[in-house]
């Protein structure tokens, strides 16, 4: 009793791919949520070792899919082999990283304020604290990272690490990939004797599946990577529930790059080429693609513009993920190209052999035009960027104030140039208010998965600026603290018992044992 | 240019207190927000030592107000001296606790993933992370803790500790108290040479002031303690902003208590007296007042009911905070008393000499009535509680599933009774999903301020279940993480520089130095 079938399309050829995959209807959605809720008590009770071993097995099973997975991803997304293999390594790497996080136990934030029976005027009770998972999590897979932000991507890995069952809404652009990875996870669930509802994947189009998932009372949190419109509609649906739930939506960012005079003077052409390489990576279909460049007027700016233009013009067309993404890219670039005061600098070469192709675009404008046209800071998903000539530091300050929240903000400076140094010292405190990650002399594409990374930022980059969707802190999104007062030792959760039997580095009276 | 004056009323006498205090109009509100935003850059740049010293001075200045403050609080709230002095100690204690938190530096979550220039296929950049404050915070003071949850209460202390300027909306029931404490904080601001906008207090009635504050674009987060209706309306206003902001609202809780058969059998009467004492503390005007008691039918239950009834009947009337609170209490208790299946067990004695008095009320019903009437689990603010006779464990499970989110959940058990022990082992995992703090063999009133406490819980207890408004973790509400990639050493925030110059226990490659 499913709601029909869904086929992927190869964006390189435009051909429909076999087989069709069943689309989940209301009954399947309700069943997945019911199973997830049933599984919650048992799954969250797994100890650190068992849960970590499960995550490691998920990674092993994904690797065991071998080249069949890589070939299917390439067919469904048009992404090149090196990228797909790299993304697979990132995906299994972050599953194993979260296994190590689970084993470490610091994420529990376990702490004890011991009883003080003789305190006056009142004795102090024994208080202990740990973090527990919120409940089943709905994960909305992204189109542009068919492995790392999809069925067994970062949201899934961090939710499973937190002890939360996961119901994934697969992205309809890569159903075969989703089916293969989903099967690998389900096999790991079985191998570790976990309840069936620990993990499930639902496939479907559009809003109905998403809205049903987010409003199901058994779903307690949502992870989402996608468009601003999609993210905000889930946020609204979650807030309108009788019991609202958090939505961790990673949405929209143009990742501004700021070029200081010393950097331009010293290496304008080199920066132009490096910028074009970052912009055209993956046909620009990255959350961190540099969509805006602010360059302070002066020596080297022309060289930057010329080199970037030449590099973009020489960039061959590349497949985009879907015809819908291509249509939105066309609309966005046409709108930009036709805006008064905006010049088209360059367009990549065409390739008629690609059915759904992106020809990168580069535009130029001045600060006054940029400030007068708020739509110029809207994201155009794909390889399109706007260079803005900025008159002076004061105008740059006005522009920084006008920008929306971002995932990243990048500064290029000449390290030994006192002028750049002074400008950077003034700008960095403004940029850290604007973005989740601030870079110097690099490019925002390429996100490290580690302990110190932040993939997040103020609205509308995300709906939850205090969180990150990449890196070990991502687990915190699915947890909340609980305090235990005067609970008899044998009824306490094991990690909170005297003597730290699970080695989670219990913090006593605020004195760190190394937990968080 | 103010919007009139506001007078307090002594709830013991009903008399209007002098002097009148000016009410803030739109201009004052906008000015306070503008000053707070202006102050933000400088205030957040204060180092740990300077910021901690400022918080200590705030505590000193509040103490220096001496008995004049105690007398004014008593006049404006009707609370007894011992309670007011205790609350003052808690208030200064938590300011000093947050000073120690600031000095400790663990709250920064400072961490480094060092560069790996030789990594293949791509080198790893240098990534560092710390938490920064969100921006100016609006704090809505509560009526029932005129010091500890008011002008310089927990929300203010934790926001100032985080590096966030604070604009307080004072509670109109205690304007003189608010003025005195506000003056003490402003003097500390001046003494430490901090910008004027670091702290301000606005006084006003009702929704207009609150809505203006929450929708001002310069306000970046909100702390609130008060009613469910008030909290939810601020949450909605904040979510509807062009850039939504988090609202940390502590709202509504009936703090269910579960009495297991062994406990009742062994000490029913004793539990009844202790329960009545907790219920009538502060005329029941506490967020953690036990408004619902679920008792498993059996020996000792009658003794519990009789003893609790006798104790409540013998409790003298006590002043309530305001006539409005008293009116809501009357409406709630009348509604409960007139519900079919609910019996009024006891009512405290009257005291006509008190203008705004609470006579505690105790009610009794059975499980079927409770499950059939959802309004019976709504909070009646004040000393009113409902005892529910529960047929068996299965019915108790149904009841737990039916309850809304709570600040606390309490279990009474006989430690050496195997039956109670088995019941508790099954119930505790359900109760920790229900509440922010789970207690055994105690009473929920009385909240420790420390490292392990959680004063929070699922909706509608709070609007942000992953947080606490009491204890050291409260600082986390006003922070977000930022990652710094390849920033030259001299441009890095000092706490992230090599060698941990500020001693914040930098975490290197995930290996804990003890920070969070």
């Amino acid at each position: 009793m499913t709601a029909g079938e869904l086929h992927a399309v190869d964006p390189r050829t435009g051909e429909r791919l076999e087989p069709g995959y069943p689309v989940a209807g209301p009954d399947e959605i309700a069943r997945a949520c019911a199973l997830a809720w049933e599984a919650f008590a048992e799954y969250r009770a797994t100890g650190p070792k068992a849960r970590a071993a499960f995550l490691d097995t998920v990674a092993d099973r994904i690797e065991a899919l071998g080249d069949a997975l890589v070939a299917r991803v390439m067919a469904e997304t048009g992404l090149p082999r090196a990228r797909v293999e790299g993304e697979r390594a990132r995906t299994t790497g972050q599953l194993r990283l979260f296994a190590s996080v689970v084993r470490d136990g610091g994420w529990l934030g376990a702490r004890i304020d011991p009883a003080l029976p003789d305190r006056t005027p009142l004795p102090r009770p024994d208080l202990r604290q740990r973090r527990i998972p919120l409940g089943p999590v709905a994960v909305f897979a992204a189109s542009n990272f068919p492995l790392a932000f999809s069925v067994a991507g970062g949201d899934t890995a961090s939710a499973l690490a937190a002890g939360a069952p996961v119901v994934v809404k697969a992205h309809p652009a890569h159903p075969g990939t989703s089916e293969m990875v989903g099967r690998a996870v389900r096999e790991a669930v079985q191998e570790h004797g976990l309840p069936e509802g620990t993990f499930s994947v639902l496939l479907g189009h559009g809003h109905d599946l998403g809205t049903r998932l987010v409003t199901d009372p058994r779903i307690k949190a949502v992870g989402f990577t996608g468009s601003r419109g999609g993210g905000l509609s889930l946020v609204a649906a979650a807030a309108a529930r009788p019991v609202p739930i958090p939505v961790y939506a990673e949405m929209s960012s143009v990742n501004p790059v700021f070029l200081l005079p010393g950097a331009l003077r010293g290496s304008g052409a080199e920066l132009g080429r490096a910028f074009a390489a970052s912009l055209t990576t993956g046909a620009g279909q990255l959350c961190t693609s540099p969509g805006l460049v602010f360059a302070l007027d002066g020596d080297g700016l022309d060289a930057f513009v010329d080199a970037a233009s030449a590099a973009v013009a020489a960039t061959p067309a590349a497949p985009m993920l879907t015809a819908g993404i291509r249509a939105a890219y066309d609309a966005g670039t046409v709108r930009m190209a036709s805006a008064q005061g905006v010049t088209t600098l360059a367009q990549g070469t065409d390739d008629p052999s690609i059915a759904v192709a992106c020809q990168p675009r580069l535009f130029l404008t001045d600060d006054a035009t940029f400030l007068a046209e708020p739509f110029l800071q809207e994201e155009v998903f794909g390889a399109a960027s706007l260079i803005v000539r900025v008159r002076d530091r004061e105008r740059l300050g006005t522009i920084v104030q006008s920008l929306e929240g971002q995932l990243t903000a990048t500064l290029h400076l000449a390290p030994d140039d006192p002028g750049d140094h002074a400008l950077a010292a003034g700008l960095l405190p403004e940029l850290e208010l604007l973005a989740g990650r601030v870079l110097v002399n690099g490019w925002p594409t390429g996100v490290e998965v580690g302990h110190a990374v932040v993939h997040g930022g103020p609205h509308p980059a995300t709906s939850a600026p205090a969180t990150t969707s990449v890196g070990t802190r991502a687990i915190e999104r699915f947890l909340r603290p609980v305090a235990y007062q005067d609970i008899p030792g044998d009824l306490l959760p094991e990690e909170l018992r005297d003597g730290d039997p699970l080695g989670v580095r219990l913090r006593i009276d605020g004195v760190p044992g190394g937990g968080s």
Side-chain angles (χ1 to χ4, degrees), chain A residues 135-159:
Chain A
V137 172
V139 169
F140 287 70
S143 61
N144 60 336
F145 279 86
L147 298 173
F149 282 84
S150 189
V151 170
D155 283 345
T156 296
S158 54

Side-chain angles (χ1 to χ4, degrees), chain A residues 136-200:
Chain A
V137 172
V139 169
F140 287 70
S143 61
N144 60 336
F145 279 86
L147 298 173
F149 282 84
S150 189
V151 170
D155 283 345
T156 296
S158 54
L160 290 175
V166 168
V167 181
V168 175
K169 179 197 168 294
H171 198 282
H174 51 265
T177 303
S178 301
E179 200 279 329
M180 292 175 80
V181 175
R183 185 156 28 86
V185 183
R186 283 200 310 279
E187 286 169 1
V189 166
Q190 283 169 4
E191 181 180 326
H192 287 263
L194 296 170
E196 181 188 356
T198 302
F199 178 83
S200 54

Side-chain angles (χ1 to χ4, degrees), chain A residues 36 147 150 156 168 251 278 289 315 336 346 399 410 493:
Chain A
L147 298 173
S150 189
T156 296
V168 175
M251 300 185 288
S278 174
S289 190
T315 301
M336 195 168 284
I399 283 173
T410 301

Side-chain angles (χ1 to χ4, degrees), chain A residues 304-324:
Chain A
F304 172 82
V305 168
D306 291 347
S309 302
V312 166
T315 301
M320 295 199 92
L321 292 156
T322 70

Side-chain angles (χ1 to χ4, degrees), chain A residues 386-405:
Chain A
L386 174 64
I387 300 171
V388 182
R389 282 181 185 269
V390 182
R391 190 191 320 157
D392 54 28
R393 171 64 178 91
E394 193 190 339
R395 186 55 70 99
L396 191 64
T398 308
I399 283 173
V400 169
Q401 296 299 321
S402 81
L403 291 175
E404 295 188 304

